[in-house]
Amino acid sequence: MTESKERKSFKPENVVIVPERITKKRKVEEPPPEEKKMKTSDLRDIESSDETVVARCLLRLLREFEIVAQKCICVLATKTSMTVMNELAAHLTDKQADGLLRRPLRPGEKVKGIEELDAQEQAVLLCEKKVRSLANSVRINYCDLYGFLKFGFKEPKFNRKKTL
């Protein structure tokens, strides 16, 4: 077909704006997926006075919840100078080194200084090695580790200036 170069004029009252084709289904309001929570039996074990019970519970939590390993790295890095741990903690605490988890890892995220390693995998491995120290940290609530676990893996509100 060839296009004709003929001009056509229309009166404004004869022009109708056609709405977009309605082919998309209405978006169904779905509730957000329910976050996995700690079991009551785990909470009971965390509150135990027996350090081995707390340590075993921590091992389960480290493997089940990525965020627990990340928080534990932040706590451990306040006491040691292990290079990989410090790089992870600097990333997770936003270079504050105070044990508070400010910037959780996203899946596949690379951490400056240990780019060749899987950051989440390293966090779990390091925490598994130091689980006895972590059990003691839970008992004394060092860097609010016990509070973090008890209150659904949430850090306290930070004293940050609000930007306008």
Side-chain angles (χ1 to χ4, degrees), residues 22-29:
I22 303 173
T23 57
K24 295 179 182 177
K25 293 181 181 177
R26 248 189 282 164
K27 291 182 180 178
V28 178
E29 298 274 334

Side-chain angles (χ1 to χ4, degrees), residues 30-48:
E30 292 182 20
E34 193 173 311
E35 292 181 18
K36 287 175 36 175
K37 295 181 181 176
M38 227 168 80
K39 298 173 191 149
T40 53
S41 60
D42 288 336
L43 188 56
R44 202 174 325 109
D45 289 348
I46 284 293
E47 294 172 343
S48 173

Side-chain angles (χ1 to χ4, degrees), residues 7 19 23 32 42 51 54 73 91 101 107 119 142 153 156-157 162:
R7 284 183 88 182
T23 57
D42 288 336
E51 238 176 66
V54 175
I73 284 293
H91 178 85
L101 178 62
Y142 184 71
F153 314 132
K157 300 288 182 206
K162 292 183 180 180

Side-chain angles (χ1 to χ4, degrees), residues 11-140:
K11 293 180 187 175
E13 59 267 8
N14 292 335
V15 176
V16 177
I17 297 174
V18 180
E20 285 185 38
R21 292 183 68 187
I22 303 173
T23 57
K24 295 179 182 177
K25 293 181 181 177
R26 248 189 282 164
K27 291 182 180 178
V28 178
E29 298 274 334
E30 292 182 20
E34 193 173 311
E35 292 181 18
K36 287 175 36 175
K37 295 181 181 176
M38 227 168 80
K39 298 173 191 149
T40 53
S41 60
D42 288 336
L43 188 56
R44 202 174 325 109
D45 289 348
I46 284 293
E47 294 172 343
S48 173
S49 58
D50 184 355
E51 238 176 66
T52 56
V53 172
V54 175
R56 271 191 240 115
C57 181
L58 272 173
L59 279 175
R60 285 193 307 270
L61 294 174
L62 287 169
R63 294 172 182 149
E64 188 173 351
F65 301 102
E66 291 180 345
I67 195 84
V68 173
Q70 294 173 33
K71 170 65 176 178
C72 288
I73 284 293
C74 296
V75 171
L76 288 170
T78 64
K79 299 179 183 179
T80 186
S81 61
M82 183 185 273
T83 306
V84 173
M85 189 182 305
N86 282 338
E87 295 295 341
L88 276 169
H91 178 85
L92 295 167
T93 64
D94 245 358
K95 299 180 181 170
Q96 302 273 339
D98 58 2
L100 298 176
L101 178 62
R102 287 182 172 79
R103 185 169 50 162
L105 290 171
R106 293 183 300 271
E109 184 176 3
K110 298 293 181 192
V111 174
K112 185 179 176 186
I114 56 167
E115 291 88 354
E116 70 281 354
L117 302 172
D118 180 330
Q120 182 60 41
E121 183 180 301
Q122 289 301 309
V124 172
L125 290 172
L126 291 167
C127 291
E128 286 175 345
K129 291 177 184 175
K130 301 282 190 173
V131 75
R132 290 188 67 111
S133 175
L134 287 167
N136 186 47
S137 296
V138 168
R139 192 174 56 76
I140 64 172

